[in-house]
Amino acid sequence: DGIDVLRERTALRRQLGYLPQEFGSYPRTSAERMLQHFAALKGIHGKDQQREVERLLVLTNLWDVRKRSVDTYSGGMKQRFGIAQALLGNPQLVIVDEPTAGLDPAERRRFHNLLVEVGEERVVILSTHLVDDVSELCPRLAIMGGGRILNTGGPEQLVAQLRGQLWSCVVSRPEAQTLRTQHKVLSARLKTGSMEVRVLAAEQPIGMSAATPTLEDVYFATLQQHGLAANLE
């Protein structure tokens, strides 16, 4: 929106909401009181503060537990409280860092639904290592490695680029080492004493079957293309 993010930092911060991977709270302080405190720090006072805090408690499904201390919340409830404080002041850019790490499947699904709802009205930047989060939430992604952006695009678009070029087989660990010298191995995963090896090749290698590419394969292929292939053993 025309803001120079390096020179106009104060203007940027007025538009910015942030949910860190981990955050603390004052002991024995309710979610409602904590949000009122954060709202005051953002310059929201009086009836505007009351309306904003109530709106966010409802949005994040914390209204019924608003009087409870935040430090007694479950992991998922804390993350929902975190997104509530990030949305104070109606920021147009929200950054969330590893938002579903450590959540059980039910809380993860609730948080996904909440992020989708939040993203309908503002830009949400999701920083995560969890491929499932990216595939379910992000219409556009960037893969970073070595401090650089290596690849960008839509999840389906990037996955489609690997179709017809990805192959897999299950072999012993010594055989997996041999395959590394013969093929462009993207990843090798230990399964019940054997190794599931995934290979990138224009034509089907002998003894391998076609594999359905995933975003994880896109990640490994991108790293390999830039000489940053990870050691998975």
Side-chain angles (χ1 to χ4, degrees), residues 154-165 213-215 218:
E156 287 298 325
Q157 168 200 350
L158 295 178
V159 168
Q161 294 174 2
L162 294 185
R163 291 197 180 109
Q165 303 181 64
T214 66
L215 272 183
V218 172

Side-chain angles (χ1 to χ4, degrees), residues 142-152 219 222-223 225-228:
I143 297 174
M144 295 187 68
R148 294 178 293 127
I149 294 178
L150 307 177
N151 203 354
T152 63
Y219 174 76
T222 300
L223 291 185
Q225 179 185 352
H226 290 84
L228 298 171

Side-chain angles (χ1 to χ4, degrees), residues 3-15:
I3 297 175
D4 186 321
V5 299
L6 298 180
R7 297 180 180 179
E8 302 174 76
R9 298 182 183 182
T10 299
L12 173 66
R13 286 169 180 152
R14 291 194 184 102
Q15 301 293 322

Side-chain angles (χ1 to χ4, degrees), residues 38-96:
F38 285 128
L41 291 176
K42 289 192 174 186
I44 307 170
H45 302 283
K47 292 184 178 180
D48 289 340
Q49 180 187 109
Q50 180 180 351
R51 282 194 296 268
E52 180 77 346
V53 168
E54 290 179 357
R55 179 183 72 83
L56 291 171
L57 286 169
V58 172
L59 173 67
T60 55
N61 198 26
L62 293 173
W63 178 257
D64 291 341
V65 291
R66 66 190 184 281
K67 300 296 185 183
R68 275 180 52 185
S69 174
V70 175
D71 56 12
T72 69
Y73 279 5
S74 68
M77 293 164 68
K78 285 181 179 178
Q79 288 299 80
R80 284 186 272 135
F81 170 80
I83 202 69
Q85 64 82 21
L87 293 176
L88 281 165
N90 194 31
Q92 295 307 297
L93 175 63
V94 177
I95 301 175
V96 292

Side-chain angles (χ1 to χ4, degrees), residues 162-170 179 183-187 196-213 217:
L162 294 185
R163 291 197 180 109
Q165 303 181 64
L166 191 67
W167 318 92
S168 70
C169 63
V170 177
L179 287 175
H183 301 286
K184 188 181 291 186
V185 174
L186 289 188
S187 63
E196 180 189 14
V197 178
R198 295 170 80 84
V199 167
L200 188 65
E203 297 182 0
Q204 183 174 3
I206 297 175
M208 296 190 184
S209 57
T212 302
D217 296 315

